[in-house]
Amino acid sequence: MFYKTFLVPCLFLFLGVASSNSELEVYFPLFFKLYKNGTVEKLDKAVPKIPASLDPKTGIQSKDTELGARLYAPKAVNQRAPLVIYFHGGGFSVGSPASLWVHRYLNSLVARANVFALSADYRLAPENPLPAAYEDASAVLRWVAKHVVGSGPEPWLKDPRVDFNRVYLAGEGAGANIVHNLAMQSGLEKFPRFNIVGLILIHPYFLLEKPTKSLLAVNEQERNNNTKLWSYVCPSGNGLKDTRVNPILNPSLSILASKKVLVCLAEKDPLIDAERKYGEALRQRGSKKVEFFLTKGKGHVFHMTKPNSKKASEMLDRVTSFMSV
Ligand SMILES: *[C@@H]1O[C@H](CO)[C@@H](O)[C@H](O)[C@H]1NC(C)=O
Ligand SMILES: *[C@@H]1O[C@H](CO)[C@@H](O)[C@H](O)[C@H]1NC(C)=O
């Protein structure tokens, strides 16, 4: 009797809890799986990690430094050269300066544009939800700024050829979102001692409140993957009204700490409409000099997996010319 009335229901209750706990709460392909029991599984384990090294293909030398950042020096520059501070993408949840895609892109950027570069590391969501990554990005800027007056620890940044009057903030996807938010923060606090002369936003992760035409053009799963990500990486935020992901709602865009901005767009990126609206708002309400570069026939961050394609090379040329004027 006891067995029937007590143990059996208990067993079912236990099994029920156990199975619902190991169920999937949400799945973002390439980024992460989150289980109902709280376990997070990252989906970038297959992406190789490359140590800082002399890159055999470009001849560019890199080294790892404090705060997990990786530095790159151009080959044989005699004059002063700009510094690019780069933030990798990966849905705020995967990637690092050592990831093959990121390291490869930085090597080719430095080789092509003849610039110094620092590839920043930051804490990843959902374990470390936003604003953790934004805070780490600010810390990187403050750390770099120490070197302007010669007090920082990093010899490569004390190289007199590093031109702190020509600093560019650049990034792709979520990294480009970080660049925008960092530039807003810098404009407000004016904390760095250097001069941010340009932002390079490649396929920035921005959303609007209502699904745009380009989002409606993809299937529901892909649309959800794009829009729901924000609420999982920034659970304390204001959803799609949050100006960190929907910056056109911000009334003070003009404080952005840069006069010129390059926004790279990809025709098949579901985010393209929001990205274009962002650039237009910066131009109209922010009084910034905004340049667009459109890649036809390609999708979100296509260049990271196809770095040697003609279209990736054209975009790299555009990024380079943006920095050479
Ligand atoms: C949560 O569920 C997943 C999937 O079944 C499992 O791999 C993981 O070990 C579980 N974690 C805990 C803490 O039980
Ligand atoms: C994202 O897309 C996959 C299919 O590729 C789907 O299984 C998953 O549920 C989607 N995630 C969300 C949050 O809609």
Side-chain angles (χ1 to χ4, degrees):
M1 201 58 199
F2 174 79
Y3 170 81
K4 265 198 174 152
T5 56
F6 183 73
L7 273 186
V8 171
C10 268
L11 186 65
F12 277 104
L13 188 66
F14 171 75
L15 287 174
V17 168
S19 69
S20 77
N21 258 346
S22 57
E23 270 171 32
L24 208 51
E25 154 106 18
V26 76
Y27 165 42
F28 295 103
L30 305 174
F31 299 155
F32 62 91
K33 284 180 178 171
L34 172 66
Y35 293 95
K36 290 201 166 125
N37 63 16
T39 297
V40 175
E41 186 190 333
K42 293 296 172 87
L43 303 176
D44 69 333
K45 291 196 185 71
V47 180
K49 299 259 191 293
I50 312 294
S53 49
L54 179 67
D55 180 49
K57 194 165 159 260
T58 58
I60 296 299
Q61 182 76 51
S62 54
K63 75 174 273 197
D64 286 339
T65 174
E66 277 183 29
L67 305 176
R70 183 168 291 186
L71 277 167
Y72 296 79
K75 274 192 298 187
V77 286
N78 301 317
Q79 310 119 314
R80 309 189 84 194
L83 172 67
V84 177
I85 304 178
Y86 191 85
F87 295 87
H88 70 80
F92 300 100
S93 51
V94 295
S96 81
S99 305
L100 168 69
W101 297 350
V102 180
H103 182 64
R104 194 168 55 186
Y105 183 71
L106 266 291
N107 276 320
S108 53
L109 174 69
V110 168
R112 183 84 63 103
N114 268 311
V115 291
F116 289 89
L118 178 140
S119 178
D121 195 25
Y122 53 85
R123 280 171 293 164
L124 300 172
E127 314 89 291
N128 301 286
L130 292 171
Y134 297 145
E135 289 164 4
D136 292 352
S138 295
V140 167
L141 234 57
R142 288 196 190 91
W143 182 78
V144 171
K146 283 186 195 169
H147 298 83
V148 182
V149 289
S151 65
E154 178 46 56
W156 281 26
L157 286 177
K158 292 191 203 174
D159 185 324
R161 295 171 306 161
V162 178
D163 188 351
F164 287 105
N165 282 319
R166 281 187 294 159
V167 173
Y168 290 85
L169 304 183
E172 106 275 352
N177 173 294
I178 292 174
V179 166
H180 163 78
N181 285 293
L182 185 57
M184 290 299 286
Q185 187 72 17
S186 314
L188 209 59
E189 292 182 28
K190 305 212 182 319
F191 59 77
R193 301 186 183 95
F194 48 78
N195 200 10
I196 299 169
V197 288
L199 308 184
I200 298 163
L201 299 147
I202 301 174
H203 315 156
Y205 179 74
F206 291 137
L207 296 164
L208 301 177
E209 270 182 276
K210 293 213 177 86
T212 61
K213 241 175 138 181
S214 60
L215 261 178
L216 290 168
V218 297
N219 69 40
E220 198 183 341
Q221 279 193 337
E222 198 181 340
R223 186 154 65 245
N224 285 345
N225 272 301
N226 278 289
T227 54
K228 287 191 180 160
L229 179 70
W230 178 253
S231 58
Y232 282 92
V233 297
C234 191
S236 67
N238 193 14
L240 299 184
K241 287 194 172 74
D242 196 311
T243 56
R244 292 170 296 183
V245 75
N246 187 352
I248 68 163
L249 294 182
N250 194 324
S252 29
L253 284 176
S254 59
I255 66 166
L256 192 85
S258 173
K259 287 196 184 71
K260 61 172 193 170
V261 181
L262 173 65
V263 182
C264 294
L265 307 168
E267 189 182 32
K268 293 191 173 160
D269 185 347
L271 305 175
I272 187 173
D273 292 341
E275 297 168 353
R276 193 181 271 127
K277 280 224 158 66
Y278 164 80
E280 286 163 358
L282 268 190
R283 190 182 272 164
Q284 286 153 15
R285 292 193 285 110
S287 309
K288 304 296 176 187
K289 185 170 176 281
V290 177
E291 300 170 31
F292 288 108
F293 177 76
L294 173 69
T295 304
K296 291 221 168 122
K298 294 290 173 190
H300 190 70
V301 305
F302 73 93
H303 63 298
M304 298 305 273
T305 47
K306 294 260 174 355
N308 299 319
S309 65
K310 187 165 166 280
K311 304 249 175 188
S313 174
E314 284 167 4
M315 184 159 73
L316 192 53
D317 282 343
R318 187 66 190 79
V319 166
T320 300
S321 66
F322 179 74
M323 290 193 284
S324 58
V325 285

